[in-house]
Amino acid sequence: AQSVTQLDSQVPVFEEAPVELRCNYSSSVSVYLFWYVQYPNQGLQLLLKYLSGSTLVESINGFEAEFNKSQTSFHLRKPSVHISDTAEYFCAVSVSGGSYIPTFGRGTSLIVHP
Amino acid sequence: NAGVTQTPKFQVLKTGQSMTLQCAQDMNHNSMYWYRQDPGMGLRLIYYSASEGTTDKGEVPNGYNVSRLNKREFSLRLESAAPSQTSVYFCASGTVSNEQFFGPGTRLTVL
């Protein structure tokens, strides 16, 4: 079975600073990888995903994540954060061609200070 | 497209009362899911349905039942609510790669 570890439960950062939210997974087979964002009092929404192809994936609002198979990681980065990026971020993994159940990490709370 | 819709948005129950949370999706997805979200616990899967006519237990099924009414609708029922079921409940539907689309959530308080 796969598992996901988000190494930081909370990441405080100042506006316009860079940020990295870390995600490691364990799986013995090929995986699909996802980052979801949850703004206060809302449901989760997809931020970006890796299914195949280029290991670097980008979102429309400036986030990027790189699939590193040797490190079994899928860290999320943004070079310059905004106040509006304050939210909870969840990493998730599912087995390609496998079960219907994705595994979610426990989430990282990104807090952007002015 | 409305995506995934959930009703109600808020609910307060007394211990022992029952209720059904409704969920519908308009994206023609086969898979649907019910999660609960509690502080510090992340998302925990209650039940899921891989396709119309099938349902399976997730990580925390005790105290809940589900019905996959048709391809669009997947309901969650609490037969006898307990304070431990106070939580935020999310319904989701999923693609074949397990990309999930979430509803806005139901905030349930059991007194």
Side-chain angles (χ1 to χ4, degrees), chain B residues 9-107:
Chain B
K9 286 187 167 47
F10 302 93
Q11 185 70 50
V12 179
L13 294 176
K14 294 181 180 178
T15 296
Q17 288 185 317
S18 62
M19 77 163 296
T20 299
L21 282 66
Q22 306 287 352
C23 173
Q25 54 98 3
D26 62 3
M27 293 170 285
N28 204 36
H29 291 155
N30 285 321
S31 304
M32 296 187 74
Y33 309 80
W34 276 105
Y35 295 92
R36 61 177 290 174
Q37 184 178 31
D38 303 289
M41 303 293 290
L43 286 173
R44 291 185 291 171
L45 183 65
I46 304 172
Y47 270 92
Y48 71 100
S49 171
S51 63
E52 185 178 353
T54 68
T55 61
D56 285 286
K57 296 178 180 178
E59 181 185 354
V60 289
N62 290 345
Y64 305 96
N65 285 301
V66 290
S67 295
R68 184 73 183 266
L69 304 170
N70 48 55
K71 192 170 186 178
R72 291 187 63 248
E73 298 172 287
F74 189 39
S75 62
L76 178 72
R77 182 161 179 84
L78 286 70
E79 291 290 352
S80 178
S84 60
Q85 294 178 304
T86 292
S87 187
V88 182
Y89 291 85
F90 289 102
C91 177
S93 67
T95 68
V96 293
S97 61
N98 284 332
E99 176 182 344
Q100 305 239 300
F101 294 78
F102 287 84
T106 295
R107 280 158 179 75

Side-chain angles (χ1 to χ4, degrees), chain A residues 3-105:
Chain A
S3 66
V4 177
T5 302
Q6 291 185 244
L7 295 158
D8 305 295
S9 60
Q10 200 172 81
V11 173
V13 64
F14 287 107
E15 195 173 19
E16 298 184 7
V19 71
E20 178 180 80
L21 306 184
R22 295 179 292 170
C23 173
N24 286 92
Y25 69 93
S26 66
S27 176
S28 58
V29 296
S30 295
V31 295
Y32 300 131
L33 294 158
F34 308 88
W35 276 100
Y36 292 86
V37 59
Q38 184 181 30
Y39 298 105
N41 299 314
Q42 294 186 25
L44 282 72
Q45 53 188 280
L46 183 72
L47 186 60
L48 46 75
K49 62 186 176 185
Y50 169 79
L51 302 181
S52 65
S54 172
T55 57
L56 184 66
V57 291
E58 298 176 353
S59 72
I60 59 172
N61 59 350
F63 282 93
E64 65 178 32
E66 186 160 20
F67 169 49
N68 187 320
K69 189 174 182 179
S70 62
Q71 301 285 328
T72 60
S73 68
F74 192 55
H75 301 330
L76 182 69
R77 302 183 181 96
K78 189 170 186 180
S80 176
V81 295
H82 302 288
I83 296 286
S84 59
D85 292 323
T86 294
E88 192 85 11
Y89 292 80
F90 292 90
C91 181
V93 61
S94 68
V95 173
S96 59
S99 81
Y100 297 93
I101 309 173
T103 301
F104 285 83

